[in-house]
């Protein structure tokens, strides 16, 4: 019988997810396609939520800004902040860091202190099966894959997935 705390067990689960991700899930950023064990997955989490659509002329700049915010968030929670980042002014960076500090205070209050939760800010891919229905109403099982902006687990072994948004 395991004598691990729920937090230690959660840490082990995260390590297993990361290991599985490295071994089995690949992402082609240019095509925005995931593959599991070489099989291309038709749906990303983003496509599942927002649908497959042309994101137009603003898609590339907004995607670049979103990726920058994700990077800064990861760097903030791993203690690796840099002085500047692409796609963001010094004032924008200052404001984002201020928002992240407020978010961290919120997490500290929510969980009763930093010792009661762990932020997993490094990027790794996850995949899941989901059920949808075809035009005849027949259920079809599909796969989707994506990456989490941030995963948090607490001292009770609960997991929380956060998706950072820019506006």
């Amino acid at each position: 019988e395991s004598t691990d705390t729920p937090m230690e067990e959660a840490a082990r689960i995260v390590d297993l997810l990361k290991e599985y991700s490295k071994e089995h899930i690949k992402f082609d950023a240019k095509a925005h396609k995931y593959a599991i064990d070489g099989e291309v997955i038709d749906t990303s989490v983003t496509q599942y939520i927002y649908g497959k659509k042309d994101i137009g002329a603003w898609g590339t700049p907004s995607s670049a800004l979103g990726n920058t915010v994700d990077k800064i968030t990861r760097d903030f929670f791993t203690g690796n902040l840099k002085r500047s980042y692409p796609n963001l002014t010094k004032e924008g960076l200052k404001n984002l860091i201020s928002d992240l500090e407020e978010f961290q205070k919120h997490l500290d209050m929510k969980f009763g202190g930093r010792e009661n939760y762990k932020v997993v800010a490094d990027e790794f891919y996850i995949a899941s099966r989901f059920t949808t229905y075809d035009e005849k109403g027949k259920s079809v099982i599909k796969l989707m894959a994506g990456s989490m902006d941030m995963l948090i687990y607490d001292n009770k072994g609960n997991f929380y997935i956060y998706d950072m948004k820019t506006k």
Side-chain angles (χ1 to χ4, degrees), residues 1-146:
E1 189 173 310
S2 175
T3 58
D4 290 342
T5 67
M7 199 161 183
E8 290 167 335
E9 182 63 25
R12 190 172 13 272
I13 290 168
V14 169
D15 288 342
L16 289 170
L17 285 169
K18 288 179 183 179
E19 185 180 313
Y20 180 88
S21 174
K22 253 185 229 171
E23 290 179 20
H24 299 281
I25 306 171
K26 304 297 178 219
F27 179 61
D28 177 348
K30 193 169 187 169
H32 196 83
K33 291 279 186 182
Y34 293 87
I36 300 175
D37 294 328
E39 178 186 346
V40 175
I41 304 307
D42 186 46
T43 305
S44 70
V45 173
T46 302
Q47 291 167 337
Y48 181 79
I49 294 169
Y50 298 108
K52 292 184 180 184
K53 56 186 172 187
D54 180 4
I55 53 178
W58 288 105
T60 300
S62 65
S63 180
L65 179 58
N67 291 340
T68 298
V69 168
D70 291 346
K71 171 77 173 129
I72 294 166
T73 300
R74 287 186 185 99
D75 288 353
F76 176 85
F77 282 101
T78 57
N80 294 314
L81 272 176
K82 300 181 183 38
R83 297 175 110 188
S84 66
Y85 290 84
N87 309 311
L88 200 60
T89 64
K90 285 189 187 285
E91 183 180 346
L93 178 59
K94 180 180 167 192
N95 292 338
L96 178 56
I97 291 170
S98 175
D99 289 345
L100 289 169
E101 288 168 344
E102 287 300 313
F103 180 58
Q104 189 167 43
K105 286 179 192 172
H106 165 77
L107 293 173
D108 292 347
M109 284 192 329
K110 175 182 174 91
F111 296 109
R114 288 192 194 152
E115 67 280 0
N116 296 320
Y117 71 97
K118 169 81 169 124
V119 175
V120 181
D122 45 329
E123 184 177 35
F124 63 96
Y125 306 118
I126 58 171
S128 179
R129 297 187 194 306
F130 69 100
T131 303
T132 188
Y133 298 90
D134 65 15
E135 58 279 345
K136 294 179 183 172
K138 182 180 175 198
S139 66
V140 178
I141 297 174
K142 292 187 170 193
L143 285 169
M144 86 169 86

